[in-house]
Amino acid sequence: LWHQGESNKNDTLTYLSKLQSLITDLRDTLGMPNLPFIAGQISQLRPENANFNKLIKTLPDSVANTGVVESYGLIAFDSTHFDSEGQRILGRRYASKVLEMLYGYQHVQDTIWVAEDAHVQDGSFADTNFGTEDLLRVKEATTSGYTRRTYLKFNLQGINGYIVGASLKINGYVN
């Protein structure tokens, strides 16, 4: 795994050939000519990083058995260094690329949207249909009639292969 810092972002003329040499030398030194090599993009929050990130994406076109993980959607706390959540997401992208390159597993998509949702309420509201509500409510209460549960249903039928990780992100508010 290779995650280059931003110190070379302006060296788009010679960086790729230097990286190719590094990969060749590493493989030769280890006696592993087919050693997988995966490079990651730097933060996309700075416009001046765009050309460097485009260059990194071309690595698999010029060096066999290499891959790239992209940094789209990641947050950097200072426009350069990824925050902890961004680092975890990037780590999952690296892991996904490793599984693809070593075992042929394919990462199909990042987002699976909710197919159906509903919330239910206990007590005298237990038979009420809340299907037309815009809000999904969650509340824990000891008094009957005030507990609310929300259910989400995802359609996984289009996924072929293995699910190696999942995250559920929910935006909400407390009143």
Side-chain angles (χ1 to χ4, degrees), residues 6 42-46 48-49 75-82:
E6 292 200 3
I42 59 178
S43 172
Q44 294 187 11
L45 294 179
R46 290 186 173 192
E48 63 268 24
N49 294 349
I75 302 299
F77 62 86
D78 61 358
S79 298
T80 300
H81 302 97
F82 300 118

Side-chain angles (χ1 to χ4, degrees), residues 6-22:
E6 292 200 3
S7 61
N8 297 104
K9 70 181 175 194
N10 296 320
D11 185 17
T12 56
L13 295 178
T14 62
Y15 183 80
L16 191 59
S17 64
K18 291 176 184 177
L19 186 57
Q20 292 167 339
S21 295
L22 174 102

Side-chain angles (χ1 to χ4, degrees), residues 5 31 34 63 66-67 88 90 118 128:
N34 296 315
V63 181
T66 61
R88 286 189 291 274
L90 192 62
T128 303

Side-chain angles (χ1 to χ4, degrees), residues 14-15 46 57-58 62 89 119 135 139 174:
T14 62
Y15 183 80
R46 290 186 173 192
K57 282 182 73 168
T58 68
S62 58
I89 293 169
H119 88 265
L135 298 175
K139 183 176 182 180
V174 176

Side-chain angles (χ1 to χ4, degrees), residues 9-145:
K9 70 181 175 194
N10 296 320
D11 185 17
T12 56
L13 295 178
T14 62
Y15 183 80
L16 191 59
S17 64
K18 291 176 184 177
L19 186 57
Q20 292 167 339
S21 295
L22 174 102
I23 296 167
T24 299
D25 291 347
L26 178 65
R27 289 172 172 173
D28 288 347
T29 300
L30 296 174
M32 302 173 73
N34 296 315
L35 178 71
F37 187 95
I38 303 169
Q41 290 182 327
I42 59 178
S43 172
Q44 294 187 11
L45 294 179
R46 290 186 173 192
E48 63 268 24
N49 294 349
N51 288 334
F52 186 81
N53 281 337
K54 287 178 190 172
L55 181 70
I56 293 294
K57 282 182 73 168
T58 68
L59 180 64
D61 299 331
S62 58
V63 181
N65 210 24
T66 61
V68 173
V69 295
E70 296 184 35
S71 61
Y72 62 88
L74 302 182
I75 302 299
F77 62 86
D78 61 358
S79 298
T80 300
H81 302 97
F82 300 118
D83 67 2
S84 59
E85 177 66 13
Q87 291 175 35
R88 286 189 291 274
I89 293 169
L90 192 62
R92 287 191 292 272
R93 290 178 185 171
Y94 273 115
S96 179
K97 184 58 76 172
V98 167
L99 291 171
E100 175 187 328
M101 291 178 70
L102 295 181
Y103 305 107
Y105 296 163
Q106 290 294 314
H107 180 77
V108 177
Q109 67 186 68
D110 285 334
T111 304
I112 299 172
W113 299 103
V114 174
E116 297 177 37
D117 58 55
H119 88 265
V120 295
Q121 193 168 337
D122 71 340
S124 62
F125 298 98
D127 292 329
T128 303
N129 182 344
F130 295 100
T132 59
E133 291 249 344
D134 290 337
L135 298 175
L136 298 172
R137 301 172 190 273
V138 177
K139 183 176 182 180
E140 190 67 36
T142 56
T143 305
S144 180

